[in-house]
Amino acid sequence: MKKRDFIKISLLLGAGVIITPGVACRTIQKAALKEKTLIQSSDFELPPLPYALQALEPHIDAKTMEIHHGKHHATYVKKLNEALAESPLKGKTLGEIFQAITANDKSTTAIRNNGGGHYNHSLFWKILSPQRTEMRESLKTAIIRDFQSVDALIAQLKDAGMKRFGSGWAWLCIAPDKKLFVSSTPNQDNPLMMNIAERTGTPILGIDVWEHAYYLNYQSQRAKYLDAIFNVINWAEVSGRYETGIQ
Ligand code: MN3
């Protein structure tokens, strides 16, 4: 075993993640590669919103969606492509990039921030929906197994969002052992960033708690935004991602 691999495994074990590294890498990479919009050999592109800007009102207002998608997400994509233009990571998928980057390598900071921004928002638009969709039994069973109830899971997600100081995300993830867990990352970090995230896994639901996600409608009241967003979670999409992720 290479020294670097040994250190990586030691860190994961220290974080309470009991895995074999080969399995973890394959699981995470497989999930990442299934993100069709993210498999690109040339430049990354801004995906269209899957609904109208006003579709999530009154929970998320049209102006917030317009700026969030058309300005913030668009800028992550533009800056990601600019950062990759001169990088040996150009041509790789975001899943591959997330496995390669480390917190200490400052030459990849822009790729980490903007690559995370692109992945996280691409997921975020899809796990929201103006139509109420049902959670499938497969996911519900796993949530009850790992959190006791759906309400308990939602409470944990809100708590993770509230405790994230400053900007970041709250996540529902599949661990390498297929169990579900809730976590949070700062800034645009993502649970697929194997050398960066405190706990690594495959994200199936992500809630943006940056102020730009809610400030126009809720000002400083992040808790109200976190209550409201659970009216527009696309549980059918999250269920599909769970089923794909555990295969
Ligand atoms: Mn955002």
Side-chain angles (χ1 to χ4, degrees):
M1 185 185 296
K2 286 183 203 159
K3 191 179 172 196
R4 199 186 61 176
D5 288 338
F6 175 74
I7 292 168
K8 190 190 291 181
I9 295 162
S10 302
L11 286 171
L12 288 167
L13 289 172
V17 182
I18 299 168
I19 56 167
T20 54
V23 172
C25 287
R26 281 196 301 278
T27 305
I28 287 172
Q29 191 174 35
K30 203 170 79 177
L33 290 173
K34 282 176 181 160
E35 280 293 338
K36 281 188 190 157
T37 60
L38 304 177
I39 304 169
Q40 312 222 358
S41 57
S42 57
D43 282 352
F44 289 100
E45 291 174 10
L46 179 68
L49 273 183
Y51 33 73
L53 291 171
Q54 71 277 14
L56 304 178
E57 290 190 342
H59 309 294
I60 303 178
D61 63 287
K63 193 70 182 171
T64 294
M65 292 299 290
E66 181 188 341
I67 297 168
H68 201 174
H69 177 259
K71 302 289 185 198
H72 290 283
H73 190 173
T75 302
Y76 296 129
V77 174
K78 179 171 175 283
K79 290 191 172 175
L80 173 62
N81 289 329
E82 286 171 2
L84 283 171
E86 303 297 324
S87 168
L89 293 170
K90 182 166 174 68
K92 296 195 179 301
T93 66
L94 282 181
E96 291 166 340
I97 290 170
F98 288 175
Q99 286 188 42
I101 58 177
T102 64
N104 292 332
D105 182 2
K106 300 304 176 199
S107 73
T108 55
T109 300
I111 293 171
R112 169 185 174 181
N113 290 338
N114 294 290
H118 180 36
Y119 188 109
N120 299 349
H121 289 85
S122 299
L123 172 65
F124 187 57
W125 312 132
K126 287 184 185 168
I127 60 91
L128 299 176
S129 170
Q131 280 92 38
R132 194 170 280 273
T133 65
E134 292 298 321
M135 186 184 290
R136 293 213 280 270
E137 281 306 315
S138 56
L139 177 59
K140 193 178 282 182
T141 302
I143 288 171
I144 291 167
R145 180 193 67 204
D146 297 333
F147 300 95
Q148 274 71 59
S149 69
V150 174
D151 285 347
L153 163 70
I154 290 172
Q156 270 201 40
L157 281 164
K158 288 180 183 174
D159 190 54
M162 287 305 292
K163 284 185 176 155
R164 168 52 52 199
F165 181 76
S167 300
W169 291 74
W171 303 101
L172 174 62
C173 298
I174 307 171
D177 65 2
K178 311 283 173 79
K179 286 190 176 166
L180 293 168
F181 68 92
V182 167
S183 70
S184 169
T185 56
N187 304 315
Q188 295 296 354
D189 287 352
N190 180 289
L192 289 166
M193 294 178 179
M194 293 204 66
N195 307 300
I196 292 172
E198 271 178 40
R199 191 166 179 193
T200 54
T202 303
I204 60 172
L205 189 164
I207 299 176
D208 190 341
V209 296
W210 283 57
E211 284 186 346
H212 68 224
Y214 61 87
Y215 210 84
L216 291 180
N217 208 13
Y218 299 97
Q219 291 79 51
S220 62
Q221 300 173 99
R222 187 186 286 184
K224 282 197 174 177
Y225 158 73
L226 285 170
D227 283 340
I229 203 166
F230 281 94
N231 291 304
V232 288
I233 296 291
N234 187 345
W235 287 112
E237 174 73 22
V238 179
S239 301
R241 285 170 184 270
Y242 172 70
E243 289 171 0
T244 305
I246 60 166
Q247 278 167 17

